[in-house]
Structure formats: C-alpha cells, structure tokens
Coordinates of all heavy atoms in Angstrom, one line a residue:
L11 N -98.0 -155.1 73.8 CA -98.5 -154.2 72.7 C -100.0 -153.9 72.7 O -100.4 -153.1 72.0 CB -98.2 -155.0 71.4 CG -96.7 -155.2 71.1 CD1 -96.5 -156.1 69.8 CD2 -95.9 -153.9 70.9
L12 N -100.7 -154.5 73.6 CA -102.1 -154.2 73.8 C -102.3 -153.1 75.0 O -101.4 -153.0 75.8 CB -102.8 -155.5 74.3 CG -103.0 -156.7 73.3 CD1 -103.6 -157.9 74.0 CD2 -104.0 -156.2 72.2
D13 N -103.4 -152.4 74.8 CA -103.6 -151.4 75.9 C -104.0 -152.2 77.1 O -104.3 -153.4 77.1 CB -104.6 -150.4 75.4 CG -106.0 -150.9 75.1 OD1 -106.5 -151.9 75.8 OD2 -106.7 -150.3 74.3
Q14 N -104.2 -151.5 78.2 CA -104.4 -152.0 79.5 C -105.8 -152.9 79.5 O -105.8 -154.0 80.0 CB -104.5 -151.1 80.6 CG -104.6 -151.7 82.0 CD -104.5 -150.7 83.1 OE1 -104.2 -149.5 82.8 NE2 -104.5 -151.2 84.4
N15 N -106.8 -152.4 78.9 CA -108.1 -153.0 78.9 C -108.0 -154.3 78.1 O -108.6 -155.4 78.5 CB -109.2 -152.1 78.2 CG -109.6 -151.0 79.2 OD1 -109.4 -151.0 80.4 ND2 -110.1 -149.9 78.6
D16 N -107.4 -154.2 76.9 CA -107.3 -155.5 76.1 C -106.4 -156.5 76.7 O -106.7 -157.7 76.6 CB -106.8 -155.1 74.7 CG -107.8 -154.4 73.8 OD1 -109.0 -154.5 74.1 OD2 -107.3 -153.8 72.8
R17 N -105.4 -156.1 77.4 CA -104.5 -157.0 78.1 C -105.3 -157.7 79.3 O -105.2 -159.0 79.4 CB -103.3 -156.3 78.8 CG -102.2 -156.0 77.9 CD -100.9 -155.6 78.6 NE -101.1 -154.7 79.5 CZ -100.9 -153.3 79.4 NH1 -100.5 -152.9 78.2 NH2 -101.0 -152.6 80.4
G18 N -106.1 -156.9 79.9 CA -106.9 -157.5 81.0 C -107.9 -158.5 80.4 O -108.1 -159.6 81.0
R19 N -108.6 -158.1 79.3 CA -109.6 -159.1 78.7 C -108.8 -160.3 78.1 O -109.3 -161.5 78.4 CB -110.3 -158.4 77.5 CG -111.3 -159.2 76.8 CD -112.4 -159.7 77.8 NE -113.3 -160.5 77.1 CZ -113.9 -161.5 77.6 NH1 -113.9 -161.8 79.0 NH2 -114.8 -162.3 77.0
L20 N -107.7 -160.3 77.6 CA -106.9 -161.3 77.1 C -106.5 -162.3 78.2 O -106.7 -163.5 78.1 CB -105.7 -161.0 76.3 CG -104.9 -162.1 75.7 CD1 -105.7 -163.0 74.8 CD2 -103.7 -161.5 74.9
S21 N -106.1 -161.7 79.3 CA -105.8 -162.5 80.5 C -107.0 -163.2 81.0 O -106.9 -164.4 81.4 CB -105.2 -161.6 81.6 OG -104.9 -162.3 82.8
E22 N -108.1 -162.6 81.1 CA -109.4 -163.3 81.5 C -109.7 -164.5 80.6 O -110.1 -165.6 81.1 CB -110.5 -162.3 81.5 CG -110.6 -161.2 82.5 CD -111.7 -160.2 82.3 OE1 -112.5 -160.4 81.4 OE2 -111.6 -159.2 83.0
L23 N -109.6 -164.2 79.3 CA -109.9 -165.3 78.4 C -108.9 -166.5 78.5 O -109.4 -167.6 78.4 CB -109.9 -164.8 76.9 CG -111.0 -163.8 76.5 CD1 -110.6 -163.0 75.2 CD2 -112.3 -164.5 76.4
L24 N -107.7 -166.2 78.7 CA -106.7 -167.3 78.8 C -106.8 -168.0 80.1 O -106.8 -169.3 80.2 CB -105.2 -166.7 78.7 CG -105.0 -166.1 77.3 CD1 -103.6 -165.5 77.2 CD2 -105.1 -167.2 76.2
L25 N -107.1 -167.3 81.2 CA -107.3 -168.0 82.5 C -108.5 -168.8 82.5 O -108.6 -169.7 83.3 CB -107.2 -166.9 83.6 CG -105.9 -166.1 83.9 CD1 -106.1 -165.0 84.8 CD2 -104.9 -167.2 84.4
A26 N -109.5 -168.4 81.8 CA -110.8 -169.2 81.8 C -110.6 -170.6 81.1 O -111.4 -171.5 81.4 CB -111.9 -168.3 81.1
Q27 N -109.6 -170.7 80.2 CA -109.3 -171.9 79.6 C -110.6 -172.4 78.9 O -110.9 -173.6 78.9 CB -108.7 -173.0 80.5 CG -107.4 -172.5 81.1 CD -106.8 -173.5 81.9 OE1 -107.2 -174.7 82.1 NE2 -105.7 -173.2 82.6
S28 N -111.3 -171.6 78.3 CA -112.7 -172.0 77.7 C -112.4 -172.5 76.3 O -111.5 -172.1 75.6 CB -113.5 -170.6 77.6 OG -114.7 -170.9 76.8
N29 N -113.3 -173.5 75.9 CA -113.3 -174.0 74.6 C -114.4 -173.4 73.8 O -114.7 -173.8 72.7 CB -113.5 -175.6 74.7 CG -112.3 -176.3 75.2 OD1 -111.2 -175.8 75.0 ND2 -112.5 -177.4 75.8
N30 N -115.1 -172.4 74.4 CA -116.1 -171.7 73.6 C -115.5 -171.0 72.4 O -114.6 -170.2 72.5 CB -116.7 -170.6 74.6 CG -117.8 -169.8 73.9 OD1 -117.8 -169.4 72.7 ND2 -118.9 -169.5 74.7
P31 N -116.1 -171.3 71.2 CA -115.5 -170.7 70.0 C -115.4 -169.3 70.0 O -114.6 -168.7 69.4 CB -116.4 -171.3 68.9 CG -117.0 -172.5 69.5 CD -117.2 -172.2 71.0
D32 N -116.5 -168.6 70.6 CA -116.5 -167.2 70.6 C -115.4 -166.6 71.4 O -114.8 -165.6 71.1 CB -117.9 -166.6 71.1 CG -118.9 -166.9 70.2 OD1 -118.7 -167.1 69.0 OD2 -120.1 -167.1 70.6
H33 N -115.1 -167.2 72.6 CA -113.9 -166.8 73.4 C -112.6 -167.0 72.7 O -111.8 -166.2 72.9 CB -114.0 -167.5 74.8 CG -115.2 -167.1 75.6 ND1 -115.5 -167.9 76.7 CD2 -116.1 -166.1 75.5 CE1 -116.6 -167.3 77.2 NE2 -117.0 -166.3 76.5
V34 N -112.5 -168.1 72.1 CA -111.2 -168.5 71.4 C -111.0 -167.4 70.3 O -110.0 -166.9 70.1 CB -111.2 -169.9 70.8 CG1 -110.1 -170.1 69.9 CG2 -111.3 -170.9 72.0
R35 N -112.1 -167.1 69.6 CA -112.0 -166.2 68.5 C -111.6 -164.8 68.9 O -110.8 -164.1 68.4 CB -113.3 -166.1 67.6 CG -113.4 -165.1 66.6 CD -112.4 -164.9 65.5 NE -111.7 -166.0 65.0 CZ -110.5 -166.0 64.4 NH1 -109.9 -164.8 64.2 NH2 -109.9 -167.0 64.0
E36 N -112.2 -164.4 70.2 CA -111.9 -163.1 70.7 C -110.4 -163.0 71.1 O -109.7 -162.0 70.9 CB -112.8 -162.9 71.9 CG -112.6 -161.5 72.5 CD -113.5 -161.2 73.7 OE1 -114.3 -162.1 74.0 OE2 -113.4 -160.2 74.3
A37 N -109.9 -164.1 71.7 CA -108.5 -164.2 72.1 C -107.6 -164.0 70.9 O -106.6 -163.2 70.9 CB -108.2 -165.4 73.0
I38 N -107.9 -164.8 69.8 CA -107.1 -164.7 68.6 C -107.2 -163.3 68.0 O -106.1 -162.8 67.6 CB -107.6 -165.7 67.7 CG1 -107.3 -167.1 68.1 CG2 -107.0 -165.5 66.2 CD1 -108.0 -168.2 67.3
D39 N -108.3 -162.7 68.0 CA -108.4 -161.3 67.5 C -107.6 -160.3 68.3 O -106.9 -159.4 67.7 CB -109.9 -160.9 67.4 CG -110.7 -161.6 66.4 OD1 -110.1 -162.3 65.5 OD2 -112.0 -161.6 66.4
L40 N -107.6 -160.4 69.6 CA -106.8 -159.5 70.4 C -105.3 -159.7 70.1 O -104.6 -158.7 70.0 CB -107.1 -159.8 71.8 CG -108.4 -159.3 72.4 CD1 -108.7 -159.8 73.7 CD2 -108.4 -157.8 72.4
I41 N -104.8 -161.0 70.0 CA -103.5 -161.2 69.7 C -103.0 -160.7 68.3 O -102.0 -160.0 68.2 CB -103.1 -162.7 69.9 CG1 -103.3 -163.2 71.3 CG2 -101.7 -163.0 69.4 CD1 -103.3 -164.6 71.6
E42 N -103.9 -161.0 67.3 CA -103.5 -160.6 66.0 C -103.6 -159.0 65.9 O -102.9 -158.4 65.2 CB -104.5 -161.2 65.0 CG -104.2 -162.6 64.8 CD -105.2 -163.3 63.8 OE1 -106.3 -162.8 63.5 OE2 -104.9 -164.4 63.4
K43 N -104.6 -158.4 66.5 CA -104.8 -157.0 66.5 C -103.6 -156.2 66.9 O -103.2 -155.2 66.3 CB -106.0 -156.6 67.3 CG -106.1 -155.1 67.6 CD -107.5 -154.9 68.4 CE -107.1 -154.2 69.8 NZ -108.3 -153.9 70.5
C44 N -102.8 -156.7 67.9 CA -101.7 -155.9 68.5 C -100.4 -156.1 67.7 O -99.5 -155.3 67.9 CB -101.6 -156.3 69.9 SG -100.7 -157.8 70.2
G45 N -100.3 -157.0 66.7 CA -99.1 -157.2 66.0 C -98.1 -158.1 66.7 O -96.9 -158.1 66.2
A46 N -98.4 -158.7 67.8 CA -97.4 -159.4 68.5 C -96.8 -160.6 67.7 O -95.6 -160.8 67.8 CB -97.9 -159.9 69.8
L47 N -97.7 -161.3 67.0 CA -97.2 -162.4 66.1 C -96.2 -161.9 65.1 O -95.2 -162.5 64.8 CB -98.3 -163.2 65.6 CG -99.3 -163.8 66.6 CD1 -100.4 -164.5 65.9 CD2 -98.5 -164.8 67.5
D48 N -96.5 -160.8 64.4 CA -95.6 -160.3 63.4 C -94.3 -159.8 64.0 O -93.3 -160.1 63.4 CB -96.3 -159.1 62.7 CG -97.5 -159.5 61.8 OD1 -97.5 -160.6 61.3 OD2 -98.4 -158.6 61.7
A49 N -94.4 -159.2 65.2 CA -93.1 -158.9 65.9 C -92.3 -160.1 66.2 O -91.1 -160.0 66.1 CB -93.4 -158.0 67.1
C50 N -92.9 -161.2 66.7 CA -92.2 -162.4 67.1 C -91.6 -163.0 65.8 O -90.5 -163.5 65.8 CB -93.1 -163.4 67.7 SG -93.5 -162.9 69.3
D51 N -92.3 -162.9 64.7 CA -91.8 -163.5 63.4 C -90.6 -162.7 62.9 O -89.6 -163.3 62.5 CB -92.9 -163.5 62.4 CG -92.5 -164.1 61.1 OD1 -92.1 -165.3 61.1 OD2 -92.6 -163.4 60.0
E52 N -90.7 -161.4 63.0 CA -89.5 -160.6 62.7 C -88.3 -160.8 63.6 O -87.2 -161.0 63.0 CB -89.9 -159.1 62.7 CG -90.8 -158.7 61.6 CD -91.3 -157.3 61.7 OE1 -90.6 -156.5 62.4 OE2 -92.3 -156.9 61.1
Q53 N -88.5 -161.0 64.9 CA -87.4 -161.3 65.8 C -86.8 -162.6 65.5 O -85.6 -162.8 65.5 CB -87.9 -161.2 67.2 CG -86.8 -161.4 68.2 CD -87.3 -161.5 69.7 OE1 -88.4 -161.6 69.9 NE2 -86.3 -161.3 70.6
A54 N -87.6 -163.6 65.2 CA -87.2 -165.0 64.9 C -86.3 -165.0 63.7 O -85.2 -165.6 63.5 CB -88.2 -165.9 64.7
Q55 N -86.8 -164.2 62.7 CA -86.1 -164.1 61.4 C -84.7 -163.4 61.6 O -83.7 -163.9 61.1 CB -86.8 -163.3 60.3 CG -86.1 -163.2 59.0 CD -86.0 -164.5 58.3 OE1 -86.9 -165.2 58.1 NE2 -84.8 -164.8 57.9
Q56 N -84.7 -162.4 62.4 CA -83.3 -161.7 62.7 C -82.4 -162.6 63.5 O -81.2 -162.6 63.2 CB -83.7 -160.5 63.6 CG -82.4 -159.6 63.7 CD -81.9 -159.1 62.4 OE1 -82.7 -158.5 61.6 NE2 -80.6 -159.3 62.1
L57 N -82.9 -163.4 64.4 CA -82.1 -164.3 65.2 C -81.5 -165.4 64.2 O -80.3 -165.7 64.3 CB -82.9 -165.1 66.3 CG -83.3 -164.2 67.4 CD1 -84.3 -165.0 68.3 CD2 -82.1 -163.9 68.3
I58 N -82.2 -165.9 63.3 CA -81.8 -166.9 62.4 C -80.7 -166.2 61.4 O -79.6 -166.8 61.1 CB -82.9 -167.5 61.5 CG1 -83.8 -168.3 62.4 CG2 -82.4 -168.3 60.3 CD1 -83.2 -169.6 63.0
D59 N -81.0 -165.1 60.9 CA -80.1 -164.4 60.0 C -78.7 -164.1 60.8 O -77.6 -164.2 60.2 CB -80.6 -163.1 59.5 CG -81.8 -163.4 58.5 OD1 -81.9 -164.5 58.0 OD2 -82.5 -162.4 58.2
D60 N -78.8 -163.7 62.0 CA -77.6 -163.3 62.8 C -76.8 -164.6 63.0 O -75.6 -164.6 62.8 CB -78.0 -162.7 64.1 CG -78.5 -161.3 64.0 OD1 -78.4 -160.7 62.9 OD2 -79.1 -160.8 65.0
A61 N -77.4 -165.6 63.4 CA -76.8 -166.9 63.6 C -76.1 -167.5 62.3 O -75.0 -168.0 62.3 CB -77.7 -168.0 64.2
W62 N -76.9 -167.3 61.2 CA -76.3 -167.8 60.0 C -75.1 -167.0 59.5 O -74.3 -167.6 58.9 CB -77.5 -167.8 58.9 CG -77.0 -168.5 57.6 CD1 -76.5 -167.9 56.5 CD2 -76.9 -169.9 57.5 NE1 -76.2 -168.9 55.6 CE2 -76.4 -170.2 56.2 CE3 -77.1 -171.0 58.3 CZ2 -76.1 -171.4 55.7 CZ3 -76.9 -172.3 57.8 CH2 -76.4 -172.5 56.5
S63 N -75.2 -165.7 59.7 CA -74.0 -164.9 59.3 C -72.8 -165.3 60.1 O -71.7 -165.1 59.6 CB -74.3 -163.4 59.4 OG -74.4 -163.0 60.8
T64 N -72.9 -165.8 61.4 CA -71.7 -166.3 62.1 C -71.4 -167.7 61.6 O -70.2 -167.9 61.5 CB -72.1 -166.3 63.6 OG1 -72.5 -165.1 64.0 CG2 -71.0 -166.8 64.5
L65 N -72.3 -168.5 61.3 CA -72.0 -170.0 60.9 C -71.5 -170.0 59.5 O -70.6 -170.8 59.2 CB -73.3 -170.7 61.1 CG -73.2 -172.2 60.7 CD1 -72.5 -173.0 61.8 CD2 -74.6 -172.7 60.4
D66 N -72.1 -169.2 58.6 CA -71.7 -169.5 57.1 C -70.3 -169.4 56.8 O -69.8 -170.3 56.1 CB -72.5 -168.3 56.3 CG -72.4 -168.5 54.8 OD1 -72.4 -169.7 54.3 OD2 -72.4 -167.5 54.1
P67 N -69.5 -168.4 57.3 CA -68.1 -168.4 56.9 C -67.3 -169.5 57.5 O -66.2 -169.8 56.9 CB -67.6 -167.1 57.4 CG -68.7 -166.4 58.2 CD -69.9 -167.3 58.1
V68 N -67.7 -170.1 58.5 CA -66.8 -171.1 59.2 C -67.2 -172.6 58.9 O -66.4 -173.5 59.1 CB -66.8 -171.0 60.7 CG1 -66.2 -169.7 61.1 CG2 -68.2 -171.2 61.3
V69 N -68.3 -172.8 58.2 CA -68.8 -174.1 57.8 C -68.5 -174.3 56.3 O -69.1 -173.5 55.5 CB -70.2 -174.4 58.2 CG1 -70.7 -175.8 57.7 CG2 -70.4 -174.3 59.7
P70 N -67.9 -175.2 55.9 CA -67.6 -175.5 54.5 C -69.0 -175.7 53.7 O -69.9 -176.3 54.3 CB -66.7 -176.7 54.3 CG -66.3 -176.9 55.7 CD -67.2 -176.3 56.7
D71 N -69.0 -175.2 52.5 CA -70.3 -175.5 51.8 C -70.4 -177.0 51.5 O -69.5 -177.7 51.2 CB -70.1 -174.7 50.3 CG -70.2 -173.3 50.5 OD1 -70.6 -172.7 51.4 OD2 -69.7 -172.6 49.5
S72 N -71.7 -177.4 51.6 CA -72.0 -178.8 51.5 C -73.5 -179.0 51.3 O -74.2 -178.0 51.6 CB -71.5 -179.6 52.6 OG -72.3 -179.3 53.8
L73 N -73.9 -180.1 51.0 CA -75.4 -180.4 50.9 C -76.0 -180.2 52.2 O -77.2 -179.7 52.3 CB -75.6 -181.8 50.3 CG -77.1 -182.3 50.3 CD1 -77.9 -181.4 49.4 CD2 -77.2 -183.7 49.9
Y74 N -75.3 -180.7 53.3 CA -75.9 -180.5 54.6 C -76.0 -179.1 55.0 O -77.1 -178.7 55.7 CB -74.9 -181.3 55.6 CG -74.9 -182.7 55.2 CD1 -73.7 -183.2 54.7 CD2 -76.0 -183.7 55.3 CE1 -73.6 -184.6 54.3 CE2 -75.9 -184.9 54.9 CZ -74.7 -185.4 54.4 OH -74.6 -186.7 54.0
K75 N -75.1 -178.3 54.6 CA -75.2 -176.8 55.0 C -76.4 -176.2 54.3 O -77.2 -175.5 54.8 CB -73.9 -176.1 54.6 CG -73.9 -174.7 54.9 CD -72.5 -174.1 54.5 CE -72.5 -172.6 54.7 NZ -71.2 -172.0 54.3
I76 N -76.6 -176.5 53.0 CA -77.8 -176.1 52.2 C -79.1 -176.6 52.9 O -80.0 -175.8 53.0 CB -77.7 -176.6 50.8 CG1 -76.5 -175.9 50.1 CG2 -79.0 -176.3 50.0 CD1 -76.2 -176.4 48.7
M77 N -79.1 -177.8 53.3 CA -80.3 -178.4 53.9 C -80.6 -177.7 55.2 O -81.8 -177.5 55.6 CB -80.1 -179.9 54.1 CG -80.1 -180.7 52.8 SD -79.7 -182.4 52.9 CE -80.9 -183.0 54.1
L78 N -79.6 -177.4 56.1 CA -79.8 -176.7 57.3 C -80.4 -175.3 57.0 O -81.3 -174.9 57.7 CB -78.5 -176.5 58.0 CG -78.5 -175.8 59.4 CD1 -79.5 -176.5 60.4 CD2 -77.2 -175.7 60.0
R79 N -79.9 -174.6 56.1 CA -80.3 -173.3 55.7 C -81.8 -173.4 55.2 O -82.7 -172.6 55.6 CB -79.5 -172.6 54.7 CG -79.9 -171.1 54.4 CD -79.8 -170.3 55.6 NE -80.0 -168.9 55.2 CZ -80.4 -168.0 56.1 NH1 -80.8 -168.3 57.3 NH2 -80.6 -166.7 55.7
A80 N -82.1 -174.3 54.3 CA -83.4 -174.5 53.8 C -84.4 -174.9 55.0 O -85.6 -174.4 55.0 CB -83.5 -175.5 52.8
F81 N -83.9 -175.7 55.9 CA -84.8 -176.1 57.0 C -85.2 -174.8 57.8 O -86.3 -174.7 58.3 CB -84.2 -177.1 57.8 CG -85.0 -177.6 59.0 CD1 -86.2 -178.3 58.8 CD2 -84.6 -177.3 60.3 CE1 -86.9 -178.7 59.9 CE2 -85.4 -177.7 61.4 CZ -86.5 -178.4 61.2
S82 N -84.2 -173.9 58.0 CA -84.5 -172.7 58.8 C -85.5 -171.9 58.2 O -86.4 -171.3 58.8 CB -83.2 -171.9 59.1 OG -82.6 -171.3 57.9
W83 N -85.4 -171.8 56.8 CA -86.5 -171.0 56.1 C -87.8 -171.7 56.2 O -88.8 -171.0 56.4 CB -86.1 -170.9 54.7 CG -85.0 -169.9 54.3 CD1 -84.7 -168.7 55.0 CD2 -84.0 -170.1 53.3 NE1 -83.6 -168.2 54.5 CE2 -83.2 -168.9 53.5 CE3 -83.8 -171.0 52.3 CZ2 -82.1 -168.7 52.6 CZ3 -82.6 -170.8 51.5 CH2 -81.9 -169.7 51.6
Y84 N -87.8 -173.0 56.1 CA -89.1 -173.8 56.2 C -89.8 -173.5 57.6 O -90.9 -173.2 57.6 CB -88.8 -175.2 56.0 CG -90.0 -176.1 56.3 CD1 -91.1 -176.2 55.4 CD2 -90.1 -176.9 57.5 CE1 -92.2 -177.0 55.7 CE2 -91.2 -177.6 57.7 CZ -92.2 -177.6 56.8 OH -93.3 -178.4 57.1
V85 N -88.9 -173.6 58.6 CA -89.5 -173.5 60.0 C -90.1 -172.1 60.2 O -91.2 -171.9 60.8 CB -88.5 -173.8 61.0 CG1 -88.8 -173.4 62.4 CG2 -88.1 -175.2 61.0
L86 N -89.4 -171.1 59.7 CA -89.9 -169.7 59.8 C -91.0 -169.3 58.9 O -91.8 -168.5 59.3 CB -88.7 -168.7 59.6 CG -87.6 -168.7 60.6 CD1 -86.5 -167.7 60.2 CD2 -88.1 -168.2 62.0
K87 N -91.1 -169.9 57.8 CA -92.1 -169.5 56.9 C -93.3 -170.6 56.7 O -94.1 -170.5 55.8 CB -91.6 -169.4 55.5 CG -90.5 -168.3 55.4 CD -91.1 -166.9 55.9 CE -89.9 -165.9 55.9 NZ -90.3 -164.7 56.5
R88 N -93.4 -171.4 57.8 CA -94.4 -172.4 57.7 C -95.9 -171.8 57.7 O -96.1 -170.8 58.3 CB -94.3 -173.4 58.8 CG -94.6 -172.8 60.2 CD -94.0 -173.5 61.3 NE -94.3 -172.9 62.6 CZ -93.7 -171.9 63.0 NH1 -92.7 -171.3 62.4 NH2 -94.0 -171.3 64.2
H89 N -96.8 -172.4 57.0 CA -98.1 -171.9 57.0 C -99.0 -173.1 57.2 O -99.1 -174.0 56.4 CB -98.4 -171.3 55.7 CG -97.6 -170.0 55.4 ND1 -97.8 -168.8 55.9 CD2 -96.6 -169.9 54.6 CE1 -97.0 -168.0 55.6 NE2 -96.1 -168.5 54.7
Y90 N -99.6 -173.2 58.3 CA -100.5 -174.3 58.7 C -101.9 -174.0 58.3 O -102.4 -173.0 58.6 CB -100.3 -174.7 60.2 CG -99.0 -175.1 60.5 CD1 -97.9 -174.2 60.9 CD2 -98.7 -176.5 60.6 CE1 -96.7 -174.6 61.2 CE2 -97.4 -176.8 61.0 CZ -96.4 -176.0 61.3 OH -95.2 -176.4 61.6

C-alpha cells in the first residue's frame, strides 16, 4: 500500500534494526500512513465472521459457545 519510495525507506528502517526513537517513529508513521493495519484488522474481522457463520449453526448454544465468541471479539478489538 506504500509507494515505491516509502517501501524502500521502510525496508531500510526495518533492516537497520535500530532502537533510535526517531527511526522507530518514522517506521510506525509509514505503516500507519498507508492503512495496512486497518486493512489487516478488517480482514481478520471478516475471517472471524466467516468462521463463526459456519460454526454457529452446528454447535449447540452454551456458555462455552458464548465465551468463545466473546473471546474472538476481545482478541480483535484489543487496545494496548
């Protein structure tokens, strides 16, 4: 999702394995700028929803089923 120049710069930053806060911030900014994390989040949500639509009709309702569904929401919506 990044243009060629930004991909090259991100690659340089990652390969350098620097702990320099400015380099880390630059890498984070590049990743956030392109929307890749949002796209991954949407894809993960779709995978969970698709799997749940297959599982839901064949697993009887129970506390464990509710807990599994709640856990999937928790994992996807975590905020650290």
